[in-house]
Amino acid sequence: MSGVDESGIVAPEGGRMRDLLRVAPDGGMVDLAAIDPRSTPGLPTAAGSGKRRKAWAHEQVELLGTELGRQQEMLYASAKAAAGPEAPTSAPTAADAHLDGDRPRRLLLVLQAMDCGGKDGTIKRVAGAMNPLGLHIRSFGPPTGEERRHDFLWRIRRALPPPGYVGIFNRSHYEDVLIARVASLVDETTWRARYDQINAFERELAEGAVTVVKVMLHISYGEQGERLMERLSDPRKHWKYNPSDLESRARWDDYQAAYAEALGRCDTDAAPWFVVPADRKWYRDWAVAHLLRETFAGLDLGYPPAGFDVERERQRLRGGDERAKVNGR
């Protein structure tokens, strides 16, 4: 049985999730067909079997969420302390997120998946325990006219999380080697050149104190079909459905090939790719939560020391209270 820490979180079996779920980088294509979307790497025997596993995973994700919230708070506090007391109290804008190796750390979670892959659900359940004030969530759709007038990374740079924030990308710059490739939005020479551009960009992020976690939520063709039908069958979910989803579904094999090459060509130590089997939503959330927890642990965060004389401030507070008593307040 896996170890249990003081908070009740059970560790994955077989090693860290960052090792169990990382793609095997070889500079080429990743064999997605060899990864079962219903598999559960790292799931401890403590989870039990059947429906019990689902309930157990939900309980663990709640505990993990508390830990992620604490780590996020330390990340945010360190950035605020580094900015100093004269820093503005409002949240920084995306324009403040320029790369600077002297800046406090940032964490960026990149989520990619086929339609119905569970990106929204993952954000809701895994990031839900974090403080919204320290989250920077961005979703990327078709580029606007202004965005088309710049290189494909322009809008990505503008959406980077500010120092001290946890950023989450719902889709990302990888759309420019996925849909751009499959739908022939650009010529092959252009999209092939983007692999090297992406690697250089992500290396720049790492050098600028941005920790990148890239996750592909890997679902099966059958599971996608069931989720699409569910959206069509429930009027409350019609807003999630887009007729173009079926056009993309018809190109399933082409998208799998595009993902396979992007994963292999852009998996680096600076910005590794992880493939999370996502047919089971409860496992997906549990796995991503552990990936983030392990990533935070690698940052060795802590609460910053006080930038003032704590005992002197205590004395000032007590003195103020005593004067207030004398004045009848």
Side-chain angles (χ1 to χ4, degrees), residues 173-194:
H173 42 298
Y174 282 93
E175 293 298 297
D176 291 284
V177 291
L178 294 170
I179 188 172
R181 167 179 173 167
V182 175
S184 299
L185 301 181
V186 296
D187 60 73
E188 182 173 350
T189 300
T190 298
W191 61 254
R192 284 206 173 275
R194 288 175 175 171

Side-chain angles (χ1 to χ4, degrees), residues 1-267:
M1 176 177 171
S2 299
V4 184
D5 66 18
E6 64 278 2
S7 64
I9 296 174
V10 181
E13 285 187 356
R16 300 189 313 157
M17 298 301 289
R18 288 181 62 89
D19 298 323
L20 296 173
L21 298 177
R22 183 167 176 181
V23 302
D26 59 5
M29 297 181 68
V30 172
D31 187 5
L32 286 173
I35 303 174
D36 182 358
R38 292 188 62 78
S39 62
T40 56
L43 190 71
T45 54
S49 61
K51 293 182 178 180
R52 168 59 189 157
R53 292 189 302 171
K54 183 176 181 179
W56 180 90
H58 286 163
E59 293 167 0
Q60 285 290 301
V61 168
E62 287 189 14
L63 296 175
L64 286 161
T66 299
E67 173 63 15
L68 293 179
R70 187 177 71 87
Q71 293 283 350
Q72 179 212 19
E73 184 178 65
M74 289 190 288
L75 184 74
Y76 186 82
S78 296
K80 185 173 182 181
E86 302 303 320
T89 56
S90 59
T93 65
D96 297 317
H98 61 277
L99 300 178
D100 184 340
D102 296 328
R103 288 277 186 140
R105 296 214 62 88
R106 290 167 270 176
L107 189 149
L108 175 62
L109 171 64
V110 173
L111 293 176
Q112 287 286 159
M114 295 291 290
D115 294 325
C116 300
K119 299 182 298 297
D120 291 343
T122 301
I123 293 172
K124 179 180 178 181
R125 293 176 180 84
V126 176
M130 298 187 195
N131 188 334
L133 293 177
L135 286 175
H136 193 78
I137 302 173
R138 293 294 181 269
S139 181
F140 295 94
T144 64
E146 181 184 14
E147 290 168 346
R148 291 192 189 95
R149 289 192 291 271
H150 297 81
D151 73 274
F152 76 103
L153 291 171
W154 181 78
R155 64 175 182 166
I156 305 299
R157 291 181 182 278
R158 288 168 57 85
L160 289 172
Y165 277 61
V166 173
I168 302 178
F169 282 177
N170 184 334
R171 300 188 187 274
S172 67
H173 42 298
Y174 282 93
E175 293 298 297
D176 291 284
V177 291
L178 294 170
I179 188 172
R181 167 179 173 167
V182 175
S184 299
L185 301 181
V186 296
D187 60 73
E188 182 173 350
T189 300
T190 298
W191 61 254
R192 284 206 173 275
R194 288 175 175 171
Y195 295 127
D196 289 339
Q197 293 169 16
I198 287 173
N199 287 337
F201 168 64
E202 292 175 348
R203 184 167 57 251
E204 180 186 352
L205 292 180
E207 292 170 353
V210 182
T211 299
V212 182
V213 182
K214 301 182 300 191
V215 173
M216 179 202 177
L217 303 175
H218 182 41
I219 64 169
S220 64
Y221 183 81
E223 179 67 19
Q224 187 197 53
E226 291 181 10
R227 294 183 187 182
L228 285 170
M229 186 59 72
E230 182 182 359
R231 291 181 179 183
L232 288 170
S233 302
D234 187 347
R236 296 171 300 179
K237 296 184 178 181
H238 286 173
W239 65 274
K240 292 185 175 183
Y241 184 82
N242 188 321
S244 66
D245 293 344
L246 293 188
E247 298 171 12
S248 297
R249 180 170 169 79
R251 304 290 300 275
W252 180 272
D253 290 342
D254 294 333
Y255 272 103
Q256 293 296 292
Y259 265 107
E261 187 163 5
L263 294 173
R265 294 283 300 275
C266 298
D267 176 85

